[in-house]
Amino acid sequence: MRWAKHRAEANKIRPRDLHASLMSGAHGFAGLLLLIFAALLLGLPVARARQSSDAAPNGNAENGKKLLRADGCYECHGLLGQGAAQTGAARIGPPQLSFDGFQSYVRSPKNQMPPYSSKALPDQDLADIYAYLKSIPMPPKGKDIPLLNK
Amino acid sequence: MAKRTKPVVDRRDFLKGAAAGAAALAAVPASIAAEPAEHKRVVPPPMSAEAEVEVPSVASVLTADRTGSDFMVDVLKSLGFEYVCANPGSSFRGIHESIINYGGNKNPEFITCCHEESSVAMAHGYYKMEGKPIAVLAHGTVGVQHASMAIYNAYCDRVPVYVILGNIIDATMRVPGVEWFHSVQDAAAMVRDYTKWDDLPISLEHFAESAVRAYKIAMTPPTMPVVLVADGELQEDAISPDLKIHIPKLNAEKPPVGDAGSVAEMARLLVAAENPVLIADRTARTPAGLTCMVELAEALQCSVVDQTGRMNFPTRHPLNQSDRARAAIADADVILGLDAADFYGVTHTYRDQIDRGARPGTKANAKLLTISSDDLFIKANYQDFQRYSEVDLAIAADSEATLPLLIEAVKRITTDDRKRAFQDRGARLKAAHMQTLERSRDAAAFAWDASPISTARLCMELWDQIQNEDWSLVGATTFVSRWPQRLWNFNKHYQYNGNAGGYGVGYNLPAATGAALANRKYNRLTVNIQCDGDLMYAPGVLWTAAHHKIPILHIMHNNRAYHQEVMQVQIMADRHSRGITNCGTGTAITGPDISYAKLAESMGVYGEGPISDPKDLGPAIKRAVEVVKRGEPALVDVVTQPR
């Protein structure tokens, strides 16, 4: 099944840096404690383990592209995050929200979108997806595409 | 049911073989023509080798110059049916033969369908294009069982499909075996919950009267399907060539119109409103409805939100606010629903989460008005009537028929001051319309070069090839995010014909073919954006189009899934935090991927594709358009983004 295949591929190339491995998966809580401990040891404020609240954490765009499909975002939003009037899904590629706003909405959507808990979609996966969406260039304006003006 | 008196011999007397004195039997009522006990024996099944070697009684009457089915065809001709759609069935073989021979296979012409669901859906699509019904023939048992979902769609869509079911009522007249499996006490029972009227005529005079009555009932708003049962004996019994049976005249019924007082009050509310909105849905039954909608909107210079159940309003008219419907409705102080299928849904917002609450999408003091023929006829079992709307003024009438009175009333009370206010409002709405169009174009630019191909690109490549033709888009645009309505220029009634009504999958392909059948005589270029899941219900209608030379261009929206259901399962998986890895199970149409071009070609339809590079799409559509313009069907398979 293609969904399962994409999920397996995404898992293969997931960035296994310290932050990602600690913050995601079944070891998340223990990892978080370790990270706090490491931060204290290094004398760094915990907040600096992540970027500022309006900036996206480090994400792997290549992995995010696979996750967009594997985690079903594309079902409503399209493979390039273009959105769809029929599903009511907003355009998310490139994203119109900051990462915090994006994450907040995904976890606790206001309208029809199904909620994605961190259990179903770990924070790092979400960051990867966001990185992919950020990598999508803005298209030309509609008025500049001749076929759209007939 | 009382035993009928047979004027001439019955066809099944032949099968009784040695039944002595069959000729004499013909002269007496069947009820008293008892068969001698010594002659009773096993009757061989019809159309079998045993039956063929049987030596019939020399006295048997084997032919008849004229039968009841000939008269039934006279009745169908009197009602002006252009076509009858059917998959052939023995329970209506009498009518079938009379149509093609006695009736000359013209008005009605027999259209061969591969499934009864296709027959009904073709009639559904035909009506919405032509404004009059065509007949459908089906077995009273297995045929109507196949047809039932399509009948339900037509019922929900308020479309008058005219269904004739074959059946053999008299148990003693049935040949053992198949005819018993294909007989039923009450053939219309299984669709009675979603048809407007049915009858089981037991004489030809009764048939004539009920056939005309059924037509009248079906065509009087709210228009709906009707069922007439044609008994096999009644079809096949011989009648005298000189027999004169009166066929009643079809009464020219006027659709129900709103009462003058209520219409005047409605006009007063609309004229006094600051931001009135007209909600159109199944409003324009005919081209006159579209004209009236424009006239009313322009008289008020007000917003129109077209829910596209029919082609109600030009898409590029500056008062068309359909793509900012929520905003228009939220700002409105008076909202008028015109045969809106779901007025509650239009005026409320709804959230499909664990808490499934609805809340008003209107101002608290907004006046809600409706004109709907649904208020004149409602049934209990199936819930298509939607949630109850609390409205301030509900006129139980046909909206299209009431619009001329409402327009007149609005114009009569509109003062110069109000006209100036209307002009200002119209200018604001024009600006909003243009901004919305610009936003739609910008939205279409995203994923413009994507592969699989975006639905926006698909629609605009199609538009590029047809915009200078006399085109007609048939079939729903819901699943391509309504790009045609957002970006194409619709301004004629036949340029769109709405959706299934009951959301029953399997409607689109045959309904589009039925619409193309109606369009054929006008030389319109019929195009259909066809979802893959819908096509796979009953693809045999592709053959029907090839066989009957029905020109239509199908552009496949092939997203290789029952995509709506993928999302539904995904909602559940997300709600349970289980991930969506398995949501393709039971919903994907992959492994193997279906080649729709080859499928089409196998049935005599020109096919191209699959096409997944957007650069290849325009030329492929152009080639297919040329085929359709030659009078043939064609299909271009396009691998697409989900929505």
Side-chain angles (χ1 to χ4, degrees):
Chain A
M1 190 54 59
R2 60 181 166 162
W3 288 269
K5 184 176 163 218
H6 282 284
R7 167 52 86 174
E9 285 175 1
N11 283 340
K12 266 189 225 164
I13 64 163
R14 186 185 306 286
R16 290 299 173 194
D17 58 37
L18 174 66
H19 171 82
S21 63
L22 293 179
M23 293 299 290
S24 63
H27 303 294
F29 181 68
L32 182 62
L33 290 177
L34 253 175
L35 187 68
I36 293 169
F37 182 65
L40 288 171
L41 279 180
L42 293 170
L44 297 172
V46 173
R48 289 187 60 187
R50 276 193 49 183
Q51 296 181 13
S52 65
S53 62
D54 278 346
N58 292 327
N60 182 313
E62 188 187 352
N63 193 48
K65 183 177 181 179
K66 291 184 168 59
L67 288 170
L68 185 87
R69 175 172 281 227
D71 287 325
C73 314
Y74 86 100
E75 302 285 0
C76 300
H77 294 277
L79 287 165
L80 290 173
Q82 68 268 27
Q86 195 269 332
T87 60
R91 192 262 295 170
I92 56 172
Q96 301 179 74
L97 299 174
S98 68
F99 179 75
D100 278 1
F102 182 77
Q103 177 167 287
S104 172
Y105 197 91
V106 168
R107 301 289 184 228
S108 199
K110 300 293 179 290
N111 293 310
Q112 308 295 345
M113 180 173 155
Y116 279 78
S117 67
S118 56
K119 182 180 167 192
L121 180 60
D123 287 352
Q124 185 57 49
D125 286 6
L126 197 58
D128 290 354
I129 291 169
Y130 191 80
Y132 168 61
L133 295 172
K134 285 284 275 188
S135 75
I136 296 170
M138 282 292 285
K141 300 292 284 182
K143 65 182 171 54
D144 297 325
I145 298 177
L147 206 54
L148 284 171
N149 293 275
K150 294 193 172 183
Chain B
M1 192 172 73
K3 195 77 178 174
R4 285 175 288 113
T5 299
K6 300 182 178 181
V8 193
V9 73
D10 184 273
R11 68 179 169 95
R12 286 180 180 78
D13 291 339
F14 156 66
L15 295 172
K16 290 172 185 160
L25 178 69
V28 297
S31 58
I32 59 171
E35 189 178 11
E38 62 269 25
H39 291 142
K40 287 187 176 170
R41 58 183 177 72
V42 176
V43 178
M47 313 284 282
S48 67
E50 301 106 287
E52 290 305 312
V53 298
E54 280 283 318
V55 179
S57 161
V58 292
S60 288
V61 175
L62 301 180
T63 62
D65 290 338
R66 196 167 180 234
T67 57
S69 56
D70 286 356
F71 174 75
M72 291 176 180
V73 170
D74 288 339
V75 174
L76 296 181
K77 282 179 176 290
S78 81
L79 293 170
F81 288 112
E82 199 173 5
Y83 300 102
V84 54
C85 289
N87 182 251
S90 58
S91 64
F92 54 88
R93 63 187 185 178
I95 298 181
H96 183 156
E97 192 275 338
S98 290
I99 287 170
I100 60 175
N101 286 327
Y102 172 76
N105 200 28
K106 191 167 185 187
N107 297 321
E109 175 187 346
F110 197 101
I111 301 293
T112 314
C113 295
C114 302
H115 194 297
E116 289 82 355
E117 190 174 295
S118 304
S119 304
V120 174
M122 278 189 72
H124 187 163
Y126 174 94
Y127 168 79
K128 286 197 285 188
M129 203 50 66
E130 188 66 7
K132 67 177 188 180
I134 54 178
V136 169
L137 286 167
H139 275 305
T141 50
V142 291
V144 73
Q145 288 164 19
H146 274 308
S148 60
M149 191 285 288
I151 294 173
Y152 182 65
N153 267 339
Y155 169 78
C156 292
D157 200 23
R158 304 298 183 257
V159 164
V161 172
Y162 195 99
V163 182
I164 301 171
L165 301 178
N167 193 25
I168 299 171
I169 306 301
D170 186 341
T172 67
M173 293 295 119
R174 299 173 197 151
V175 171
V178 175
E179 287 194 351
W180 280 80
F181 291 113
H182 286 183
S183 294
V184 56
Q185 286 184 12
D186 184 357
M190 72 171 294
V191 293
R192 189 163 289 132
D193 272 333
Y194 39 94
T195 50
K196 196 174 179 186
W197 189 77
D198 64 83
D199 198 18
L200 167 59
I202 60 168
S203 70
L204 290 176
E205 191 164 7
H206 185 174
F207 181 89
E209 192 168 313
S210 290
V212 176
R213 188 195 300 273
Y215 194 100
K216 173 186 164 185
I217 290 171
M219 288 292 283
T220 303
T223 52
M224 288 181 184
V226 291
V227 175
L228 202 59
V229 180
D231 178 49
E233 295 300 307
L234 202 59
Q235 293 176 54
E236 298 184 26
D237 281 354
I239 58 175
S240 163
D242 303 323
L243 184 67
K244 299 289 181 198
I245 300 175
H246 176 62
I247 300 174
K249 182 177 73 174
L250 180 65
N251 296 340
E253 287 293 319
K254 293 290 182 190
V257 176
D259 71 279
S262 298
V263 170
E265 173 63 7
M266 190 169 278
R268 189 188 67 75
L269 290 166
L270 287 167
V271 169
E274 289 307 308
N275 286 309
V277 175
L278 308 179
I279 310 287
D281 192 358
R282 295 189 299 239
T283 314
R285 288 183 291 102
T286 73
L290 170 61
T291 305
C292 286
M293 279 300 302
V294 172
E295 191 173 351
L296 178 61
E298 290 181 351
L300 290 163
Q301 289 295 307
C302 71
S303 299
V304 176
V305 171
D306 187 355
Q307 301 227 291
T308 66
R310 304 288 186 271
M311 175 55 211
N312 297 305
F313 203 70
T315 53
R316 291 196 181 169
H317 194 291
L319 296 173
N320 191 326
Q321 307 292 310
S322 304
D323 290 323
R324 51 179 297 274
R326 285 286 170 209
I329 290 166
D331 286 343
D333 51 352
V334 172
I335 302 168
L336 169 57
L338 295 152
D339 275 300
D342 181 13
F343 191 61
Y344 183 92
V346 178
T347 52
H348 289 75
T349 59
Y350 181 81
R351 195 164 179 249
D352 185 14
Q353 303 286 3
I354 289 176
D355 172 17
R356 307 192 91 196
R359 58 188 169 81
T362 59
K363 288 180 177 173
N365 58 353
K367 294 280 186 194
L368 303 185
L369 322 173
T370 57
I371 305 175
S372 177
S373 60
D374 283 346
D375 288 343
L376 296 166
F377 187 94
I378 195 165
K379 289 194 173 190
N381 195 14
Y382 287 83
Q383 304 288 299
D384 65 296
F385 41 78
Q386 304 291 335
R387 197 160 170 183
Y388 183 78
S389 271
E390 296 177 65
V391 301
D392 298 282
L393 176 56
I395 297 180
D398 176 58
S399 53
E400 178 177 308
T402 305
L403 278 173
L405 296 183
L406 184 58
I407 292 164
E408 187 184 334
V410 162
K411 287 181 175 174
R412 194 167 51 238
I413 62 172
T414 301
T415 62
D416 288 344
D417 282 350
R418 292 309 293 155
K419 278 182 186 168
R420 280 190 288 276
F422 292 177
Q423 283 166 2
D424 291 345
R425 183 164 68 208
R428 288 197 301 275
L429 290 173
K430 181 178 181 181
H433 173 86
M434 294 311 294
Q435 285 170 6
T436 305
L437 179 59
E438 201 61 29
R439 275 200 299 274
S440 291
R441 286 177 173 145
D442 287 344
F446 287 89
W448 185 250
D449 293 320
S451 176
I453 296 170
S454 76
T455 53
R457 181 71 179 263
L458 177 149
C459 293
M460 294 314 289
E461 293 285 356
L462 176 58
W463 174 239
D464 191 37
Q465 299 300 328
I466 68 168
Q467 61 177 311
N468 296 319
E469 308 286 345
D470 187 19
W471 58 272
S472 171
L473 175 65
V474 293
T477 56
T478 312
F479 297 118
V480 289
S481 289
R482 295 181 61 256
W483 285 115
Q485 279 87 356
R486 295 163 73 188
L487 296 174
W488 295 12
N489 183 13
F490 293 70
N491 53 28
K492 296 183 176 71
H493 189 257
Y494 59 77
Q495 286 175 336
Y496 191 62
N497 69 344
N499 53 36
Y503 295 89
V505 183
Y507 155 89
N508 208 75
L509 182 70
T513 307
L517 181 64
N519 279 337
R520 184 170 63 180
K521 61 178 172 288
Y522 304 112
N523 291 319
R524 293 172 189 150
L525 177 63
T526 304
V527 296
N528 168 41
I529 299 171
Q530 176 62 43
C531 294
D532 50 343
D534 180 280
L535 183 141
M536 288 305 291
Y537 265 71
V541 75
L542 291 169
W543 174 86
T544 298
H547 179 71
H548 289 283
K549 299 198 182 311
I550 301 171
I552 181 169
L553 172 57
H554 301 292
I555 303 293
M556 291 300 299
H557 168 32
N558 178 10
N559 59 20
R560 293 179 172 159
Y562 294 106
H563 206 85
Q564 199 69 17
E565 308 316 314
V566 178
M567 293 188 289
Q568 298 288 359
V569 179
Q570 186 181 343
I571 289 169
M572 292 297 100
D574 285 328
R575 191 173 290 178
H576 304 143
S577 293
R578 291 169 182 162
I580 67 105
T581 304
N582 296 322
C583 291
T585 305
T587 54
I589 312 177
T590 54
D593 294 339
I594 297 166
S595 172
Y596 294 99
K598 285 183 180 171
L599 178 68
E601 285 170 352
S602 76
M603 297 194 208
V605 174
Y606 175 88
E608 285 222 27
I611 293 169
S612 50
D613 184 337
K615 290 195 297 297
D616 297 336
L617 185 51
I621 295 174
K622 187 174 186 177
R623 289 189 292 273
V625 164
E626 289 307 311
V627 172
V628 177
K629 286 167 80 172
R630 291 202 301 265
E632 298 171 30
L635 180 147
V636 178
D637 183 10
V638 188
V639 182
T640 50
Q641 298 271 322
R643 288 286 182 262

